[in-house]
Amino acid sequence: MRLSLQLLDTAGQERFHTITTSYYRGAMGIMLVYDITNGKSFENISKWLRNIDEHANEDVERMLLGNKCDMDDKRVVPKGKGEQIAREHGIRFFETSAKANINIEKAFLTLAEDILRKTPVKEPNSENVDISSGGGVTGWKSKCC
């Protein structure tokens, strides 16, 4: 089975709202990311979760990521708050750092595995993909704000 990931980074901006809702319909997985050094970005998570509930398929895999965990000295959102909202919505939670490459690969692999676990195999002789092997993500490029 081949898995293709299409990433849409809206940075939570309102101008992408209408585009985002149309992407929700076909999405099999959605990562919601907030900045642990920015309280407003965390406050917006509830709104994005409501949008997903309204516009996405009900079986879409969701994941919450608290980014910039390498900047703990500037933290304004406690880890417990991220864990709590994830628990309330029954979704996975990781703290990550795109800059320091902390839990990035783990988050993507976990989301992909969760999607594959839900996806029925169409052909009886299809090979299952083991996305946990192979030495990691290749061609990974990081761009920070």
Side-chain angles (χ1 to χ4, degrees), residues 63-83:
M63 178 179 283
L64 180 63
L65 303 178
N67 195 37
K68 297 189 182 178
C69 69
D70 61 305
M71 299 178 67
D72 205 47
D73 57 323
K74 294 188 169 109
R75 176 187 293 271
V76 296
V77 181
K79 185 176 184 179
K81 280 194 164 196
E83 291 169 334

Side-chain angles (χ1 to χ4, degrees), residues 12-145:
Q13 296 176 22
E14 279 302 316
R15 63 188 173 130
F16 292 112
H17 177 75
T18 54
I19 296 171
T20 305
T21 55
S22 65
Y23 271 92
Y24 285 159
R25 282 184 218 107
M28 297 172 79
I30 297 173
M31 286 180 165
L32 293 164
V33 183
Y34 67 90
D35 176 348
I36 70 159
T37 69
N38 180 330
K40 181 75 172 152
S41 71
F42 181 76
E43 291 167 20
N44 287 332
I45 292 297
S46 294
K47 176 189 71 168
W48 289 106
L49 284 165
R50 279 193 304 275
N51 285 337
I52 291 168
D53 288 343
E54 289 174 24
H55 300 287
N57 296 331
E58 66 181 46
D59 65 341
V60 68
E61 281 296 325
R62 299 167 299 159
M63 178 179 283
L64 180 63
L65 303 178
N67 195 37
K68 297 189 182 178
C69 69
D70 61 305
M71 299 178 67
D72 205 47
D73 57 323
K74 294 188 169 109
R75 176 187 293 271
V76 296
V77 181
K79 185 176 184 179
K81 280 194 164 196
E83 291 169 334
Q84 179 183 354
I85 198 166
R87 195 171 35 254
E88 288 170 2
H89 290 272
I91 61 179
R92 292 190 189 264
F93 171 76
F94 294 102
E95 281 204 338
T96 60
S97 169
K99 184 178 181 181
N101 195 20
I102 299 169
N103 283 337
I104 298 298
E105 185 172 333
K106 182 177 183 179
F108 277 95
L109 288 176
T110 301
L111 185 63
E113 288 168 347
D114 289 347
I115 291 167
L116 285 174
R117 203 171 289 116
K118 280 187 172 178
T119 306
V121 177
K122 293 181 183 174
E123 300 170 22
N125 294 331
S126 291
E127 291 183 28
N128 288 329
V129 176
D130 181 4
I131 60 175
S132 63
S133 64
V137 178
T138 58
W140 184 263
K141 292 183 181 175
S142 171
K143 181 181 177 189
C144 190
C145 331

